[in-house]
Amino acid sequence: MTDLTDYSAEIHPLLEKLLNSGFNYDIDKINKAFLFAKKCHDGQFRKSGEAYIYHPIAVAELVAGLDLDTDSICAAFLHDTIEDCPDMVDEELITKEFGNEVTELVKGLTKLVSIKYADKAEQQVENLRKMFLAMSKDIRVIFIKLCDRLHNMRTLSSHREEKQRIIALETMHVYAPLAHRLGMSKIQRELEILALQYLDPIGYEEVKRDIDKKYGMSKDFLERARKAISDNLSAQKIEFTTEGRVKSIYSIYKKMYNQNKSFDEIYDFYALRIIVSTELECYTVLGTIHETFNSIPGRFKDYISMPKPNGYRSLHTTVIGRDGIPFEVQIRTKEMHAIAEYGLAAHWKYKISSKDDSMDKKLEWIRTLLETQHDETDPDEFLRPLKIDLFADETFVFTPDGDVVSLPTGANGIDFAYSIHSAVGNKMIGLKINGMIAPIDTPLQTGQIIEVLTSSASKGPGRDWIKLVKTSEARNKIRQWFKKEKRAENIAYAKAEIDKEISRLSRPITEEQKNELLTGYAKRYNLPSAEDLYNALGYGGVSLQKLSAKLKEDATKLISSMPAPEDPFSLIQAKEEIPSHRHSEKVIVDGLDNFQIKYAKCCNPLPGDRIMGFITRGFGISIHKFECPHTVSGLKDPEEKDRWVNARWNDKASENSSGFTAQININAVNSDSILSGISNALMEIHASITSINSRLAQRDRVMMLTLGVKARSTEHLQSIIGRLKKVKDVLEVSRG
């Protein structure tokens, strides 16, 4: 036994644990790392008032609890030194004192605090991306980071309320899912429970009260169930151990609030875990359980033959106890139990290894995440896989060859195709489920046999697939296809959408102003030019919805700082002095009588619109909308401005008319029923169609219709548009 008198007293408990672990730790190096960290953090304190060094000590103790190696424990002591003590520490010094491995671990744990970002969300994304990159090289980075986060959550009460919620939310959305994906259920459960206390303290207390009440009423139940099982297994001379538990507060909370279940509907509130020596014994025990208790149909899951993506393997069954109380039984081997509790960390703790359970295979999902998210610049889109892929319940389906494919619950045939290979997804033209043709976006269910129908003549995925898929892997592979194959189409599509957004502004902005704004956005997203930004918007690398909102906000500010536009009426003020107003049946024009009128086709004015009249040569007066480009430009033309006259609608113009021609633009899914749907809708409200034109866009998937309809006024036209918006497959309706 090593004498600890020569080592720092603050870490004697840690060193004693390491010496008793049976592993060969370098105690001198670990003590040196502690002294180095203590010197760096001297004079620094946490929010609680405690000396900062106690945080690295706590993290090192948690890391040691995973039985990680010497360098991991050293990195735990040093993980905040570069970030918090930049004047004293850099990577070169850590390498000199502790070697390259420790330096790489510390680098992976150090936030990107020295780089300026547009907002906190962007910085968070880059920190996570950096952490994932470090994870893909050395998984110990995330083990240490999870221990760091766990201790921060244990001491979160010293922060202000707003900060508590931010940290708890990040823990729930990022770190608990990561622990789940790595199979580290012990850390995952504690992170979830701690985060829930800050995110929904009332819900947490309600569930806790229900648990305490129910457990208090039947606290001897688990012991009686355990004894019944033990007696039967002992008679079969099977070596086993049993553990009893009550379902965690967060697990019950999630089922109650996410699945809208009552507390009494939680059937796996109680659970017994039976740990045996071999896989064969797991199935033997399962048979014994079903002989001893009545099983609940549909509540059996075989995660031994179909492991979860995080490596979890176990048999689960729910049965009814002799007291009439349902409980879950989990059956696994010692090795399965180690992986269930510690996940990938079990490879260090229990030295588990097998030819088909290599570390490279286990880390493949991290590399896939990095590859598919390489071009992702939108913070919400980058975090989406952490909230979905890493934490969703799994659905297990089979290929026609019998291979098992795991997908998040709710994933569809398109997700399945892209999980096989990008080329399969890109050439997909159909889907078979259990031998029957099905829509490609059909949600898949566990146990189904899925076959993807492909064709070399396929023109590739549709843009709507991006919204249909559930997994980030499929979404990003579709985007990569559009990025590579459809640059010109992406740019044209995005330009049209941006121009549409600009047309909705209260005043137009110049092409130069628009380009200046978009060039600025391109720089923010690290894109070389506005054209590259258009491309990214087109294939979905940048959120069109978010950028449109930002464009509207910035353009509105720009417009408010510009001089007020010249009022067209101010250009013809002299005519306003004419006292008499003579009028036709529908339109009143200053200073004119007995005139012939026509309504301009360029803007199709309706009663309710502000209007002006243009005196034509030999064809009477042409009535235009006040905002019509011809009106604005004509009033500024010295040769024509005197031919523009003030005009307004007769109060009864809309009543004394069978209707004015108005133009409506419709974007709709190209379906067999779309034209009949639109026609029937207009018949219902007695609106007449005067003309119809159509064209196809987005590779024949979207039909763009231009309708001429009869409308009595702007108000009547809005009611027509409102009815058309309710037609099935109609995407967008606007006045032409």
Side-chain angles (χ1 to χ4, degrees):
M1 179 70 179
T2 303
D3 185 0
L4 295 179
T5 55
D6 294 332
Y7 298 99
S8 305
E10 295 101 319
I11 59 169
H12 276 185
L14 170 62
L15 298 182
E16 285 177 3
K17 182 177 180 179
L18 297 178
L19 290 170
N20 293 327
S21 67
F23 300 128
N24 187 24
Y25 285 104
D26 187 339
I27 300 298
D28 288 332
K29 186 175 183 179
I30 290 170
N31 188 64
K32 179 181 177 182
F34 164 71
L35 293 173
F36 186 95
K38 184 178 181 181
K39 181 179 179 182
C40 291
H41 293 300
D42 184 40
Q44 295 179 356
F45 297 90
R46 306 195 81 207
K47 293 287 185 182
S48 62
E50 182 182 57
Y52 196 89
I53 189 59
Y54 287 106
H55 170 63
I57 291 174
V59 176
E61 288 174 344
L62 289 168
V63 169
L66 299 175
D67 284 348
L68 298 187
D69 59 359
T70 294
D71 286 343
S72 299
I73 297 172
C74 290
F77 279 123
L78 303 169
H79 74 275
D80 281 335
T81 54
I82 293 178
E83 182 182 337
D84 293 345
C85 317
D87 297 336
M88 301 173 62
V89 186
D90 57 21
E91 293 173 17
E92 187 178 343
L93 179 59
I94 291 179
T95 302
K96 178 182 175 183
E97 296 293 334
F98 301 100
N100 285 325
E101 275 204 43
V102 174
T103 303
E104 289 303 314
L105 291 172
V106 174
K107 279 170 60 180
L109 294 160
T110 302
K111 296 175 186 173
L112 302 171
V113 291
S114 59
I115 302 175
K116 291 185 177 180
Y117 292 92
D119 54 43
K120 291 278 187 182
E122 283 188 26
Q123 181 169 332
Q124 182 195 33
V125 165
E126 288 309 312
N127 283 328
L128 291 171
R129 203 193 303 269
K130 176 175 177 282
M131 184 176 70
F132 286 138
L133 183 60
M135 281 170 62
S136 69
K137 296 176 181 177
D138 194 330
I139 193 64
R140 291 174 295 176
V141 168
I142 194 56
F143 295 156
I144 301 167
K145 186 63 183 176
L146 286 171
C147 292
D148 173 45
R149 177 53 60 118
L150 180 55
H151 184 252
N152 282 332
M153 288 302 297
R154 287 175 177 176
T155 56
L156 192 58
S157 60
S158 57
H159 288 273
R160 67 182 190 279
E161 187 174 340
E162 181 186 1
K163 187 73 170 178
Q164 288 173 348
R165 285 190 58 81
I166 291 171
I167 295 173
L169 197 63
E170 185 183 52
T171 298
M172 193 69 86
H173 283 171
V174 178
Y175 292 99
L178 276 173
H180 167 77
R181 190 60 179 82
L182 294 167
M184 304 174 73
S185 59
K186 288 190 73 172
I187 289 180
Q188 175 202 345
R189 286 194 298 267
E190 188 173 354
L191 287 175
E192 288 169 344
I193 291 170
L194 289 168
L196 181 61
Q197 292 180 55
Y198 294 98
L199 295 175
D200 187 358
I202 296 175
Y204 171 86
E205 288 298 333
E206 286 178 353
V207 174
K208 187 174 183 298
R209 280 198 304 271
D210 286 339
I211 290 175
D212 292 342
K213 181 180 178 182
K214 183 169 183 175
Y215 186 65
M217 292 170 62
S218 52
K219 59 185 176 182
D220 298 328
F221 164 73
L222 279 177
E223 188 54 41
R224 290 194 297 273
R226 188 207 306 261
K227 187 177 186 308
I229 293 171
S230 298
D231 290 345
N232 287 338
L233 294 182
S234 297
Q236 298 182 52
K237 298 183 179 179
I238 295 177
E239 291 186 10
F240 66 93
T241 57
T242 60
E243 297 177 356
R245 69 157 178 84
V246 173
K247 196 171 184 68
S248 76
I249 293 176
Y250 179 69
S251 296
I252 293 176
Y253 174 92
K254 189 167 64 167
K255 284 197 173 184
M256 288 177 63
Y257 290 90
N258 291 2
Q259 299 179 24
N260 197 27
K261 290 187 175 184
S262 68
F263 187 80
D264 293 332
E265 292 178 288
I266 310 297
Y267 291 127
D268 51 354
F269 176 79
Y270 297 106
L272 275 177
R273 188 173 295 138
I274 302 172
I275 302 169
V276 293
S277 300
T278 67
E279 192 173 305
L280 179 60
E281 288 177 339
C282 290
Y283 290 95
T284 302
V285 171
L286 178 67
T288 301
I289 297 297
H290 285 172
E291 287 177 2
T292 308
F293 304 100
N294 292 324
S295 61
I296 298 179
R299 299 288 300 175
F300 169 66
K301 294 178 182 177
D302 186 349
Y303 293 121
I304 292 180
S305 62
M306 291 189 294
K308 292 186 177 185
N310 61 13
Y312 178 88
R313 300 177 73 211
S314 191
L315 297 176
H316 289 195
T317 186
T318 303
V319 296
I320 302 292
R322 291 169 184 170
D323 305 66
I325 300 173
F327 67 100
E328 184 182 69
V329 181
Q330 300 172 356
I331 310 164
R332 60 180 70 146
T333 65
K334 295 174 184 176
E335 183 174 302
M336 294 175 194
H337 182 59
I339 294 174
E341 293 293 289
Y342 298 99
L344 287 185
H347 289 264
W348 276 268
K349 189 174 182 70
Y350 290 92
K351 303 298 179 275
I352 294 171
S353 63
S354 64
K355 61 184 178 182
D356 57 337
D357 192 24
S358 67
M359 188 62 68
D360 282 344
K361 186 176 179 181
K362 292 294 184 184
L363 298 181
E364 190 175 332
W365 67 271
I366 304 174
R367 299 189 183 104
T368 301
L369 177 68
L370 283 169
E371 289 167 6
T372 58
Q373 299 288 82
H374 181 266
D375 295 323
E376 191 58 72
T377 52
D378 185 85
D380 287 346
E381 287 299 318
F382 183 85
L383 292 174
R384 185 191 293 267
L386 298 177
K387 300 174 184 177
I388 298 177
D389 295 357
L390 299 187
F391 209 31
D393 291 332
E394 291 86 12
T395 294
F396 299 96
V397 294
F398 297 92
T399 67
D401 294 332
D403 295 327
V404 179
V405 176
S406 171
L407 295 165
T409 297
N412 56 43
I414 307 173
D415 292 295
F416 176 86
Y418 279 101
S419 73
I420 302 301
H421 197 278
S422 297
V424 175
N426 292 338
K427 294 181 179 180
M428 182 182 194
I429 59 169
L431 184 74
K432 281 187 177 181
I433 299 178
N434 294 337
M436 303 290 289
I437 295 290
I440 60 175
D441 60 345
T442 302
L444 306 181
Q445 297 179 7
T446 293
Q448 292 175 330
I449 300 172
I450 311 300
E451 181 182 354
V452 178
L453 306 178
T454 61
S455 170
S456 57
S458 168
K459 296 179 181 179
R463 286 188 188 275
D464 56 332
W465 289 16
I466 293 175
K467 295 180 180 178
L468 294 175
V469 295
K470 177 82 171 179
T471 63
S472 61
E473 179 182 6
R475 186 176 297 105
N476 283 292
K477 285 180 177 179
I478 295 167
R479 286 175 176 168
Q480 288 303 313
W481 186 87
F482 276 101
K483 179 182 179 182
K484 182 180 178 182
E485 303 290 339
K486 298 290 181 180
R487 180 178 172 87
E489 185 180 305
N490 295 337
I491 292 172
Y493 169 75
K495 280 185 175 179
E497 292 298 313
I498 291 297
D499 287 343
K500 188 189 298 182
E501 192 62 42
I502 289 174
S503 71
R504 296 184 178 125
L505 297 171
S506 59
R507 283 169 55 193
I509 60 174
T510 66
E511 193 71 15
E512 184 180 355
Q513 289 170 328
K514 179 183 77 172
N515 290 335
E516 185 178 343
L517 286 172
L518 291 168
T519 301
Y521 300 147
K523 288 180 180 177
R524 176 181 174 182
Y525 288 110
N526 296 317
L527 295 169
S529 66
E531 188 128 307
D532 291 293
L533 176 63
Y534 279 129
N535 184 40
L537 289 167
Y539 72 75
V542 173
S543 168
L544 182 60
Q545 182 180 4
K546 284 193 171 184
L547 190 121
S548 295
K550 179 66 176 169
L551 176 65
K552 182 179 179 181
E553 178 187 342
D554 291 344
T556 301
K557 290 179 182 177
L558 185 64
I559 289 169
S560 65
S561 66
M562 294 163 54
E566 193 170 21
D567 188 337
F569 282 122
S570 68
L571 301 173
I572 52 169
Q573 285 179 351
K575 287 185 168 58
E576 290 184 353
E577 297 174 4
I578 297 174
S580 61
H581 297 288
R582 293 175 294 276
H583 60 82
S584 71
E585 184 181 352
K586 299 172 185 176
V587 176
I588 299 172
V589 178
D590 283 0
L592 295 176
D593 197 5
N594 298 322
F595 51 84
Q596 189 176 18
I597 63 168
K598 64 178 182 177
Y599 302 100
K601 301 291 186 184
C602 56
C603 56
N604 291 315
L606 295 174
D609 290 324
R610 294 174 66 188
I611 55 174
M612 291 195 71
F614 179 72
I615 303 172
T616 66
R617 290 184 170 92
F619 294 98
I621 296 175
S622 178
I623 302 299
H624 292 254
K625 287 171 63 177
F626 178 69
E627 301 87 357
C628 177
H630 289 134
T631 307
V632 176
S633 61
L635 287 171
K636 292 181 179 179
D637 186 341
E639 296 181 4
E640 290 193 351
K641 68 178 182 178
D642 290 337
R643 297 171 63 188
W644 287 92
V645 291
N646 288 338
R648 67 180 185 276
W649 296 100
N650 185 327
D651 291 340
K652 296 185 178 181
S654 61
E655 297 176 11
N656 302 327
S657 172
S658 59
F660 299 79
T661 298
Q663 183 176 298
I664 297 176
N665 295 332
I666 302 174
N667 289 345
V669 175
N670 183 15
S671 65
D672 294 338
S673 62
I674 186 62
L675 290 176
S676 62
I678 290 172
S679 177
N680 290 336
L682 292 173
M683 286 176 61
E684 286 177 14
I685 56 175
H686 306 291
S688 303
I689 300 177
T690 60
S691 64
I692 182 168
N693 292 293
S694 67
R695 65 185 179 89
L696 297 177
Q698 293 185 27
R699 294 176 53 254
D700 299 344
R701 295 177 185 278
V702 176
M703 178 180 285
M704 304 177 73
L705 297 158
T706 302
L707 297 183
V709 298
K710 287 291 187 180
R712 294 187 299 275
S713 63
T714 53
E715 186 176 340
H716 183 212
L717 181 62
Q718 285 306 311
S719 70
I720 295 173
I721 290 173
R723 178 61 186 89
L724 289 173
K725 285 181 177 179
K726 297 176 182 178
V727 175
K728 182 183 178 183
D729 290 335
V730 166
L731 304 175
E732 186 177 23
V733 185
S734 61
R735 181 178 178 181

